[in-house]
Amino acid sequence: MISNFNLQPEVLENEISKLIPLKDKHFDALFEAASDPLIWEQNPVKNRHEKEAFKTFFDIIITKGSFLIFDKQTNEIMGTTSFYDYSSEKSSVAIGYTFITRKFWGGPYNKSNKKLMIDYAFQHVDSILFHVGAENFRSQKAVLKLGAEKINDVMFSVNGVDMPYFEYELKK
């Protein structure tokens, strides 16, 4: 599959969600959304609700194909998500670095956001990967609900510390 995969298209939207490219100017508003400690309680980096830790996260995601997620009805910031690790050889891309605020947990929101990204990605690749912290049970369940299967146990260095993650794959 020959493809010109733009990891950050101008906008992805449906009736529930609107994803726009993440920019430096979004830091303060996104940090405000991220400042709830309960969002990060199962994440390998539990202090991302603190400004300095969130800045480290933001500095990483701003270099990826990242999006600011809005509730389409209210224009409220829901969170962020990213494309990363695109491989034309393997015809794959990863989706991650995602969080949504607790107001949008449960309901159709995560599935809506991921569907936008998955539908777009499958125009360009055959496989989508998700990397989820080994203790992040909420995200593991969400990824399984999308139809992805666990394929690997991997270690990622997070702030210089090796952390266990699970790798999931969703095939076209």
Side-chain angles (χ1 to χ4, degrees):
M1 178 182 294
I2 307 289
S3 149
N4 243 1
F5 189 11
N6 175 3
L7 294 181
Q8 208 177 33
E10 273 314 299
V11 68
L12 297 172
E13 63 185 314
N14 57 26
E15 61 288 343
I16 295 171
S17 309
K18 181 176 181 177
L19 283 61
I20 66 164
L22 184 67
K23 306 278 189 224
D24 285 322
K25 67 182 182 185
H26 298 134
F27 176 83
D28 289 332
L30 190 59
F31 172 67
E32 188 177 320
S35 61
D36 174 355
L38 291 177
I39 292 173
W40 307 103
E41 116 189 293
Q42 293 183 16
N43 190 283
V45 184
K46 301 191 181 331
N47 67 339
R48 281 198 182 139
H49 62 280
E50 298 168 8
K51 196 161 201 167
E52 195 171 307
F54 186 77
K55 177 80 169 105
T56 301
F57 173 72
F58 190 86
D59 289 346
I60 293 168
I61 64 173
I62 200 74
T63 68
K64 312 285 180 194
S66 295
F67 298 90
L68 194 60
I69 307 168
F70 290 95
D71 177 327
K72 181 89 179 268
Q73 304 308 310
T74 65
N75 220 29
E76 188 176 343
I77 291 177
M78 200 184 298
T80 187
T81 191
S82 306
F83 286 121
Y84 65 99
D85 284 357
Y86 168 63
S87 168
S88 56
E89 298 78 35
K90 295 178 185 169
S91 188
S92 68
V93 69
I95 295 176
Y97 295 96
T98 303
F99 81 84
I100 57 176
T101 60
R102 283 194 297 150
K103 175 179 181 178
F104 297 102
W105 288 4
Y109 302 100
N110 185 59
K111 186 174 184 182
S112 165
N113 302 334
K114 290 294 190 291
K115 182 171 175 18
L116 285 168
M117 297 184 76
I118 289 166
D119 289 350
Y120 174 75
F122 277 152
Q123 295 172 37
H124 305 280
V125 298
D126 295 325
S127 170
I128 297 171
L129 301 173
F130 302 90
H131 301 106
V132 181
E135 296 177 11
N136 193 337
F137 307 114
R138 197 170 29 249
S139 293
Q140 291 169 28
K141 279 206 305 216
V143 166
L144 289 170
K145 274 188 195 171
L146 297 171
E149 291 182 20
K150 182 181 170 200
I151 59 168
N152 245 331
D153 290 20
V154 293
M155 296 297 276
F156 283 113
S157 179
V158 180
N159 300 337
V161 178
D162 282 348
M163 304 288 244
Y165 276 73
F166 297 148
E167 183 174 54
Y168 296 84
E169 181 179 37
L170 183 63
K171 292 184 182 203
K172 195 170 182 175

